Each structure stands twice: as structure tokens, then as C-alpha cells.
Amino acid sequence: MREEFTHWSVLFKQYMKRDWKLILFWVLGLGGFAGGFLPAFEEIGKGNGLIGLYETMKNPAMISLCGPTPVQEAAEYTVGAMYGHLMLLFTGLIAMLVAAVHVVSHTRKEEESGLTEFVCSYRVGRHASSVALLAEEIVIHVLITIFSAVLLLVFDVESVTAGPAFLFAVCVGIAGVMGAAIALVMAQIMPSSAGATGASLGMIGVLYVLRAGTDISNLDLSMWNPMGWIYLTYPFTKNRTAPLFYAAAFCVAVILIAFALERGRDMGSGYLPEKTGRGNVKKSLLSVPGLLIRLNRSMVLGWVLTFLILGAVYGSIYGDMETFLGGNELIRAMFTAGGISVEASFTSTILVVLGGLAAIVPVVVVNKLFTEESSARLGQVSATRVSRAKLYWVTMGIAVFSAALALFAAAGGLGGAALLVMEKSELEMTDFLLAGMNYLPAVLFFAALSALMLGWLPAFGKAVYIYIGYAIMLNYFQGLLDLPEWFENTAVLSWIPRMPMDEFDGMVFAVVTVLSLVIMVIGYLGYRKRDMVERI
């Protein structure tokens, strides 16, 4: 038995040396997200902000999104209680997702590349790699726990004390370990790394959706959900520690199951068989458009559904809008503008966020082309009469269509839910849809930047996500920050009029669209000339 774990410590040291940059980014990023927003929440809580937010969070849609709070009266809803209520579930969810992707990429993906077989050809135990990877995950999440807890205490908020702060941080850390354990099991079961990643993320998504239903209908059932053990600790209010022991026991049990499954399978294969292919390929896959659409179809539909739900969640707030905005100057400054109705101002601000997030879809589509290229899956296609121009421009076409579809879903979900919960409204469904589609040039601009990276600096294609986040944050907090106009214009979202608060500007729409197309052409010039990147 001991031989199965031989030299796990050696592999652990190598993993830490290999991943130290990723670990540093991971700890600072997730730990900063977990604890870094406390000053903003403290500002939101000034005046009657806590009361307004407490009343808003009693909305069933918000409970399904963020979870419940044990606070029974608005007067007891402190800044700490608000922070634990709004941040813990989201942060734990992110920790689970990131850990799951990391585990699959260092298990089944490395098996498919042949790296694991090469390592195991030496005197290394069957489970050594998995143990080393789990040890790395534990170290990472211990560091995240310490960093986020210290960060929460540094801000010296009265209702955020040491014990509850560390409870909050430990919940985030153990959530990441749970995500890693789930992914390790899926890595044994599924026939490929892509299947393992999808199954892991899908399982986490199912847990999130199930707890959303039980939080509203029967909260006791949420305690039977592993994800419920993260936020039902209620840091800064009840400070329950029992769910953490349930989570720890769950991790141990799932890891033991993963080891048992790993012992009984062949390397490079899973317990579920490979899906049997068709006897004859579909005619649609014999064309470049058909192939690229098939590669992106599931991803695009998943994102579109996500934006539809996200828009509906934001739309459900409209029924409690006055309570949410009333009595707090900070919140009112973020979501309203002088002389403009509350509905129009709120809609314009929310659509900035949704419009920026919608840019993720076309950027993913463009980056997918490079993923297929770097994985050496485009070599055979490129060796035929298929030109790079066709690969590139069909991808751009899919990106443009998916961008429009994502914006339409987000704006439609927002408008549909808003009109459903409001008794009277000066806005119509067409106002929401037009305001959403107004951001299409900005979304195309993000896609064009990704195309530019694809053509000239393909290894840096994911840097566009950073610019998307920067643009969203700058515009979201625009009402709070007294920034010079030139600085605001560094974000492309600032170029677009905020409908329905502002009037549509056809000139800006046309100019940004043309500029995006020009950048795409420049990206094509680089893509046509550069060598293909194949990392095999």
C-alpha cells in the first residue's frame, strides 16, 4: 500500500516550483477578492444603506443568488453581516471552480499529453501525483485563508472581528478543497480531460442551483448540500463551525473514493467509455463554418443562458428599487443621475455591467481558435485547401453573432423580469433591448482586440479579459469617482452613450464598429503571416 504513494513529496516540491507564479497570482487574486471589498461595503452601509440592502436581499431572487441571512431585523444587519451574506457564497463558488479546473489540468490533461506516463516510468507510486496535487491545493487554500483573513482585519471595521473573519476565510479555503476533491473524482470517471472539466464544473453548478431552490423553499434541506456548508456558517452573525466539520469529512470521503477509482483504471482512460462516433460524419462538419460552429456551440449556448438568468436576477430588483436606492448617497450616486428617472438611470448602469460581461463570449470564441491551433488540432485542416483567411473570418463571424446573441439575452432577461415585477413603468421591452444592443460596438471592440492578439501576440490573448474587467469597474463606479475625462475614455465602454438615460448616437455606433473591423483586419494580417503554434 505504501508503495502507491512513493515519492509524492518529491513531486509536491516539483509542483510548487513549477506553479509558484500561478500560486502567487491565485492567492493574491482570490484572497484580495475575498477580503478587499470590505471598505466599499462599509461605504454602502452608511446612512440607511444597510436597511435598504437588507430589505432588498429579502427578495426570493436575491436569496437564490446570494443565500439567506439569519438576521431577523434590519437593525441587526451590520457591515460584517452584509459582507458575509453577499460575498461568502460567491467567493466560495469561485474557489471551487478555479480549484476544479486546476486539478483536472494537472491530472487527466497531463495524462493525455503523456507527461504522467513519463513521470510514472520512474519509481513513482500510483497515487503519488494525486497526493502531491492535493497537498499543493491544501497549501494554496491555507495561504488564501490567511491572506484574506488578515486583509479583512486590516481595514479595522467595527463589526468585523478576528474570529468571524477567520471563519469567513476558512470557509473560502475549504470550499476550494471541496472543488478539488470533486474534480479528482471526475478525473477518474470521465473519458477525457474535457469531459472531466465539464463534469466537475457541471456538478458544482448543480450544487449551486439545488441550494438556490432549497434556500427559498426549505432551508433545512440546504444543510444536506455540500455547498450549503460554506455559507450556512453565517460568519459575523451566528458563527457556526459545525458545517466546516461536515465539509472536511466530505473532502476526506470524496478523496478516498477518488483513490479507489484511480487504483482500478488504466492510465489515460476513464470508467465511462468514449462516446461512439457516427458511422458517417455529418455533412455540416465537412465545412469550415460547420466545424467551427460545432466547436463553439455548447460554450456559446451556455454563456447565453447564463446572461439570460443574470439579466433576470438584476431585473427582479426593480420591484424593490426605491428601498434599495433610498437613504444612501453612495448607492444613489452609483445608480442614479440628476434629472433622470430612477428606472432609466438604474437600467443604464446595470447594462454597462451586462454589456461588458457579454464581451467574454466573443473573446472566448476567438481564443478557441488559438486553443485548437496550439493543441495541434488544426494542423490537418490547414494542410488541406482550407485557407487561414477562411478559418479567421468564419471565427470572427461566429464571434460577432455570439456577441449580439449574448447582449440580446442579457437585455431581454433584464427587461422581462423588470417589467414583470414593476406595477407601472415608463420603460418598454424595446427600450431594454435597444439599450442592450447599443453596446454591440464596444463588445466588438473587445473581440477585435482579441483578434489582434491572435494575429500578432497569440500567447497574450487572455490579457483582453483584464481590460474587460478594468472597463467594467471603471464604468460601474463612474458616479463615485471624480476622474478626468481622458482617464474615463481609456475604457471603450465609456465611449458608448448610456441608453436609456442618454440618447442613441449613430455616429459613435458607426465609428466604433468601423474601428473594430479595422483592428480585425490588422489582426488578420498578422494571423496570415505568422507560423502556427503547436504545443505538443
Side-chain angles (χ1 to χ4, degrees):
M1 183 69 177
R2 182 177 297 179
E3 289 78 8
E4 294 183 345
F5 302 96
T6 301
H7 291 319
W8 74 267
S9 58
V10 176
L11 290 180
F12 170 69
K13 293 177 183 178
Q14 294 301 317
Y15 288 174
M16 295 297 290
K17 289 180 181 179
R18 176 191 63 183
D19 297 334
W20 73 268
K21 292 181 181 179
L22 173 64
I23 293 172
L24 181 63
F25 180 79
W26 192 345
V27 171
L28 294 179
L30 187 56
F33 181 83
F37 287 98
L38 188 57
F41 277 73
E42 188 177 21
E43 288 295 320
I44 291 174
K46 290 181 178 178
N48 294 325
L50 286 172
I51 297 175
L53 195 60
Y54 174 76
E55 295 297 330
T56 300
M57 296 307 294
K58 289 163 63 177
N59 187 314
M62 300 309 295
I63 293 175
S64 67
L65 186 68
C66 302
T69 177
V71 176
Q72 299 296 321
E73 298 179 3
E76 301 174 358
Y77 201 59
T78 63
V79 173
M82 174 177 61
Y83 197 79
H85 185 192
L86 270 66
M87 289 294 294
L88 182 53
L89 177 57
F90 276 134
T91 310
L93 178 63
I94 293 171
M96 293 181 76
L97 295 173
V98 174
V101 172
H102 180 73
V103 167
V104 174
S105 66
H106 287 333
T107 52
R108 289 305 300 278
K109 200 166 187 178
E110 290 186 354
E111 286 185 26
E112 293 175 354
S113 68
L115 179 60
T116 302
E117 185 176 4
F118 175 76
V119 171
C120 289
S121 64
Y122 293 90
R123 192 169 169 267
V124 175
R126 183 73 172 90
H127 301 313
S129 178
S130 296
V131 173
L133 183 59
L134 288 171
E136 182 185 38
E137 287 286 340
I138 292 172
V139 169
I140 290 171
H141 289 96
V142 167
L143 293 175
I144 290 173
T145 297
I146 296 172
F147 177 63
S148 56
V150 171
L151 190 59
L152 285 171
L153 296 174
V154 162
F155 294 118
D156 195 25
V157 176
E158 183 179 356
S159 58
V160 179
T161 54
F166 273 95
L167 176 61
F168 179 97
V170 170
C171 290
V172 175
I174 204 163
V177 178
M178 281 199 295
I182 291 172
L184 190 61
V185 170
M186 294 302 170
Q188 316 309 318
I189 296 175
M190 302 307 292
S192 66
S193 62
T197 300
S200 301
L201 301 185
M203 177 62 71
I204 295 171
V206 167
L207 293 177
Y208 179 83
V209 172
L210 288 176
R211 59 128 292 272
T214 54
D215 282 353
I216 297 172
S217 60
N218 188 343
L219 187 58
D220 291 337
L221 293 178
S222 293
M223 278 300 294
W224 293 90
N225 186 329
M227 189 169 287
W229 303 329
I230 301 171
Y231 62 94
L232 294 180
T233 53
Y234 297 132
F236 310 110
T237 52
K238 288 190 174 182
N239 299 313
R240 300 164 61 183
T241 56
L244 293 180
F245 292 101
Y246 303 154
F250 173 82
C251 290
V252 172
V254 172
I255 289 171
L256 291 177
I257 292 172
F259 285 159
L261 293 173
E262 187 177 34
R263 187 181 300 115
R265 73 175 178 89
D266 294 330
M267 186 173 296
S269 64
Y271 282 89
L272 293 181
E274 291 276 3
K275 184 178 179 181
T276 304
R278 294 166 56 95
N280 297 302
V281 69
K282 290 183 177 180
K283 291 185 178 180
S284 61
L285 294 179
L286 298 178
S287 66
V288 171
L291 175 62
L292 294 179
I293 289 173
R294 180 64 183 84
L295 290 174
N296 291 283
R297 183 183 63 188
S298 299
M299 180 275 299
V300 171
L301 291 178
W303 275 108
V304 168
L305 180 60
T306 299
F307 286 121
L308 181 65
I309 296 172
L310 187 60
V313 169
Y314 274 119
S316 67
I317 301 175
Y318 279 67
D320 300 314
M321 190 181 304
E322 287 297 338
T323 303
F324 178 62
L325 299 177
N328 186 282
E329 294 299 326
L330 181 72
I331 298 178
R332 186 167 289 276
M334 288 174 60
F335 292 103
T336 63
I340 306 297
S341 71
V342 173
E343 294 174 22
S345 299
F346 189 80
T347 301
S348 64
T349 302
I350 294 301
L351 282 175
V352 168
V353 178
L354 294 176
L357 291 175
I360 294 174
V361 184
V363 171
V364 171
V365 170
V366 175
N367 286 337
K368 179 68 173 176
L369 185 62
F370 179 66
T371 299
E372 296 299 318
E373 174 188 335
S374 59
S375 300
R377 290 192 285 265
L378 283 185
Q380 294 181 350
V381 176
S382 300
T384 64
R385 297 176 60 185
V386 174
S387 65
R388 289 200 184 186
K390 196 164 189 177
L391 289 171
Y392 182 89
W393 288 114
V394 169
T395 299
M396 293 304 111
I398 296 172
V400 171
F401 177 77
S402 63
L405 197 59
L407 284 172
F408 187 84
L414 179 69
L419 296 175
L420 187 64
V421 299
M422 289 190 294
E423 295 180 359
K424 295 181 180 180
S425 174
E426 66 177 29
L427 299 177
E428 298 179 355
M429 190 64 180
T430 54
D431 295 318
F432 287 96
L433 294 177
L434 291 175
M437 299 307 294
N438 180 52
Y439 285 99
L440 182 58
V443 175
L444 295 183
F445 185 83
F446 289 117
L449 290 181
S450 186
L452 187 68
M453 295 294 103
L454 175 67
W456 296 93
L457 297 169
F460 295 92
K462 293 183 179 179
V464 179
Y465 295 121
I466 299 175
Y467 181 57
I468 292 175
Y470 165 79
I472 292 174
M473 297 301 292
L474 187 62
N475 279 267
Y476 188 66
F477 294 105
Q478 193 176 55
L480 303 179
L481 307 174
D482 186 19
L483 299 173
E485 185 177 355
W486 68 266
F487 188 81
E488 291 181 354
N489 287 332
T490 58
V492 66
L493 292 173
S494 301
W495 305 350
I496 309 298
R498 291 191 172 192
M499 295 177 62
M501 186 174 65
D502 298 328
E503 295 291 331
F504 174 73
D505 192 327
M507 180 61 69
V508 171
F509 191 95
V511 169
V512 178
T513 300
V514 171
L515 178 61
S516 301
L517 294 176
V518 170
I519 295 175
M520 288 182 186
V521 172
I522 296 174
Y524 166 68
L525 296 177
Y527 182 74
R528 183 183 63 178
K529 294 180 179 179
R530 70 169 175 82
D531 295 332
M532 295 194 75
V533 178
E534 295 185 347
R535 298 168 181 167
I536 56 174

